[in-house]
Amino acid sequence: MTSQDLHDRHRRFLPRWVTTYYEQPLRPVSATRRTITDAHGRDYLDFFAGILTNSLGYGVAEFRRALDRQLDTGIVHTSTLYLIDAQVRLAERLAEQSGIDDAAVFFVNSGTEANDTALLAATCHTGSNHVIALTDSYHGRSLTSTAVSGLPGWQPSPYSPFQVTFASNGRTSPNGDEHPPEDPAADLEARLAGQAPPAALIVEPVQGLGGFHTPPTALLQRYARIAAEHGAVLICDEVQTAWGRTGRAWWGHQLHRLKPDVITFAKGIANGLPLGGVIARRDVLDSVTDKSISTFGGNPLACTAALATLDYLLDHDLQRNAEIAGQSLLTELRRLDATHPHLTNPRGQGLMLAMDIVAPHTGQPDPGTARAHIEACRAQGLLIGLGGRHGNTLRIAPPLTVTEEEIAEATRILAAAAQHSATASAPA
């Protein structure tokens, strides 16, 4: 079966909104370390890590051995109706790492489910369905999580179970234009006046799909104080920022010196196996008084994978590697910014880096050239991501095990792709 045959079947049987990158979609068939091999035998450096999920990369022996030990028991799934040793050990570990007093942990399968659970608990705890969220945020694909996502193009339903007040992320205004209020916190306070008390403030410490922008620390701290004054729960969406990816911190909220009541997580926790969850103050999580369950959440295989991932991250000090390697890569992105007028605003934390592609003569977002850029990167053997409010942001997030040699090769390819995309962005 050819890749084209598979693509035809993909389009025939999957929804139209399940899109793929590239004019000719990539079909991975094997991988090792940070390299993916496609169906044609072509190798690619993976600098997007399955959307920041393959935190260790591929073919890690210690990770594989841990999975094999669990598979050798014959048990992959039992449901949470039974005691699961790996689930309890992982919950203990995450509760301790969270810094939340009297923490409880609930496991699910994805970041979307984690944020759904956090919002459910917050509404039960406060008796309100009013949520404060940030512009350009993304919290998942369900009805509840899209309702509190402030990123244009990712809110498919006009219906919402919440009353949502969007607060400026410091870059865009609550009504969606790119002229934030002079004092965003005062603007939020004014708009909350006379409304029902909010149940929650939900924030990403670094906005993921929104383009790896880091909201101003002072602004997030003021928002957190406003939320606390109204009795709202602070939810930190750490789906992309946890486990040391930001380099300077194990949790992204530590970059801003926030004290969350609830932390949500997923993606890199299990190096590619589906696992997400919520860590929260017990009084918040136990506010869900009716029955609830996650059939697959916290299953033995995924929790074993998470424990092995955490061990490897800590044993190899990958948080420090994210900081050092990220600084090296950011330096190279700044050099590209200095030499190519269509590449701008290099930024990020640790190994969560980005830059924008704009029309050089107008400075306007240029998503078409951004797509040409990632095509040019792929043609030379590098995989990166797209994102941002206008779809013109290059997102670069390799596994936390990335080496300096791989960064040097990736930056060589990024520079060559910049030359190619400069031609694409030149006026006719």
Side-chain angles (χ1 to χ4, degrees), residues 11 84 140 148 210 225 294 327 365:
R11 289 184 293 192
I84 301 171
V148 299
R225 286 195 294 271
S294 176
Q327 283 297 322

Side-chain angles (χ1 to χ4, degrees), residues 13 32 35 55 85 98 116 119 136 153 197 222 233 257 263 322 346 354 358 364 382-383 387 389 412 424:
F13 291 102
T32 183
T35 300
S55 49
D85 177 78
S98 72
D116 283 349
L119 293 164
D136 290 354
R222 288 183 68 189
V233 170
R257 300 180 298 281
I263 297 170
V358 299
Q364 294 300 304
L382 177 68
L383 308 180
R389 167 176 278 261
R412 182 195 66 77

Side-chain angles (χ1 to χ4, degrees), residues 199-349:
L201 164 65
I202 184 168
V203 300
E204 298 165 280
V206 180
Q207 294 191 312
L209 189 58
F212 291 175
H213 288 284
T214 305
T217 292
L219 181 60
L220 291 187
Q221 290 178 344
R222 288 183 68 189
Y223 285 163
R225 286 195 294 271
I226 292 168
E229 289 167 1
H230 285 81
V233 170
L234 174 58
I235 302 170
C236 285
D237 178 342
E238 298 267 7
V239 169
Q240 296 196 28
T241 50
W243 328 122
R245 176 161 284 279
T246 64
R248 291 191 291 124
W250 181 252
W251 300 107
H253 68 262
Q254 292 169 327
L255 297 171
H256 304 290
R257 300 180 298 281
L258 297 175
K259 293 285 291 182
D261 302 295
V262 181
I263 297 170
T264 60
F265 64 86
K267 290 197 182 290
I269 179 64
N271 195 41
L273 270 72
L275 182 65
V278 178
I279 314 167
R281 285 179 10 221
R282 176 166 292 281
D283 63 312
V284 174
L285 210 49
D286 283 353
S287 296
V288 182
T289 55
D290 283 353
K291 294 179 180 179
S292 192
I293 192 173
S294 176
T295 299
F296 293 107
N299 71 74
L301 190 63
C303 287
T304 296
L307 289 166
T309 300
L310 292 176
D311 283 343
Y312 196 94
L313 286 165
L314 295 169
D315 291 347
H316 294 80
D317 199 4
L318 294 188
Q319 179 181 332
R320 177 170 171 76
N321 190 59
E323 174 67 6
I324 294 172
Q327 283 297 322
S328 175
L329 186 50
L330 183 57
T331 296
E332 296 300 325
L333 296 183
R334 287 170 175 157
R335 286 177 180 155
L336 291 177
D337 173 44
T339 54
H340 296 281
H342 68 297
L343 298 182
T344 186
N345 196 16
R347 59 188 178 272
Q349 305 285 344

Side-chain angles (χ1 to χ4, degrees), residues 17-54:
W17 38 266
V18 181
T19 57
T20 57
Y21 277 175
Y22 310 118
E23 292 181 10
Q24 297 297 321
L26 181 71
R27 180 186 173 191
V29 295
S30 63
T32 183
R33 298 182 181 87
R34 275 72 52 195
T35 300
I36 288 176
T37 304
D38 72 7
H40 305 287
R42 177 78 189 276
D43 290 338
Y44 304 89
L45 266 179
D46 180 8
F47 268 49
F48 202 35
I51 317 180
L52 294 84
T53 297
N54 300 319

Side-chain angles (χ1 to χ4, degrees), residues 7-268:
H7 190 206
D8 290 343
R9 290 162 60 192
H10 180 284
R11 289 184 293 192
R12 172 70 179 84
F13 291 102
L14 274 68
R16 291 177 183 172
W17 38 266
V18 181
T19 57
T20 57
Y21 277 175
Y22 310 118
E23 292 181 10
Q24 297 297 321
L26 181 71
R27 180 186 173 191
V29 295
S30 63
T32 183
R33 298 182 181 87
R34 275 72 52 195
T35 300
I36 288 176
T37 304
D38 72 7
H40 305 287
R42 177 78 189 276
D43 290 338
Y44 304 89
L45 266 179
D46 180 8
F47 268 49
F48 202 35
I51 317 180
L52 294 84
T53 297
N54 300 319
S55 49
L56 308 183
Y58 306 93
V60 177
E62 294 91 329
F63 181 76
R64 174 62 181 269
R65 285 196 294 270
L67 296 189
D68 283 344
R69 285 193 296 271
Q70 181 60 44
L71 290 170
D72 286 345
T73 69
I75 297 175
V76 171
H77 172 72
T78 60
S79 96
T80 51
L81 295 173
Y82 306 113
L83 287 174
I84 301 171
D85 177 78
Q87 182 190 65
V88 174
R89 287 190 289 122
L90 181 58
E92 291 171 334
R93 203 160 164 179
L94 295 179
E96 182 180 354
Q97 288 180 349
S98 72
I100 296 174
D101 294 334
D102 192 24
V105 184
F106 181 70
F107 294 106
V108 291
N109 306 286
S110 68
T112 291
E113 283 187 72
N115 286 327
D116 283 349
T117 302
L119 293 164
L120 171 67
T123 58
C124 291
H125 182 68
T126 61
S128 170
N129 74 334
H130 182 188
V131 177
I132 306 168
L134 298 194
T135 55
D136 290 354
S137 59
Y138 176 77
H139 298 291
R141 54 156 298 277
S142 66
L143 181 63
T144 53
S145 56
T146 55
V148 299
S149 293
L151 193 63
W154 294 88
Q155 300 165 313
S157 175
Y159 304 104
S160 171
F162 301 118
Q163 172 192 345
V164 183
T165 297
F166 283 105
S168 170
N169 62 358
R171 299 179 58 254
T172 51
S173 75
N175 63 11
D177 64 45
E178 297 187 3
H179 302 284
E182 184 175 337
D183 187 339
D187 174 77
L188 174 62
E189 286 187 295
R191 289 186 296 113
L192 290 177
Q195 296 194 59
L201 164 65
I202 184 168
V203 300
E204 298 165 280
V206 180
Q207 294 191 312
L209 189 58
F212 291 175
H213 288 284
T214 305
T217 292
L219 181 60
L220 291 187
Q221 290 178 344
R222 288 183 68 189
Y223 285 163
R225 286 195 294 271
I226 292 168
E229 289 167 1
H230 285 81
V233 170
L234 174 58
I235 302 170
C236 285
D237 178 342
E238 298 267 7
V239 169
Q240 296 196 28
T241 50
W243 328 122
R245 176 161 284 279
T246 64
R248 291 191 291 124
W250 181 252
W251 300 107
H253 68 262
Q254 292 169 327
L255 297 171
H256 304 290
R257 300 180 298 281
L258 297 175
K259 293 285 291 182
D261 302 295
V262 181
I263 297 170
T264 60
F265 64 86
K267 290 197 182 290

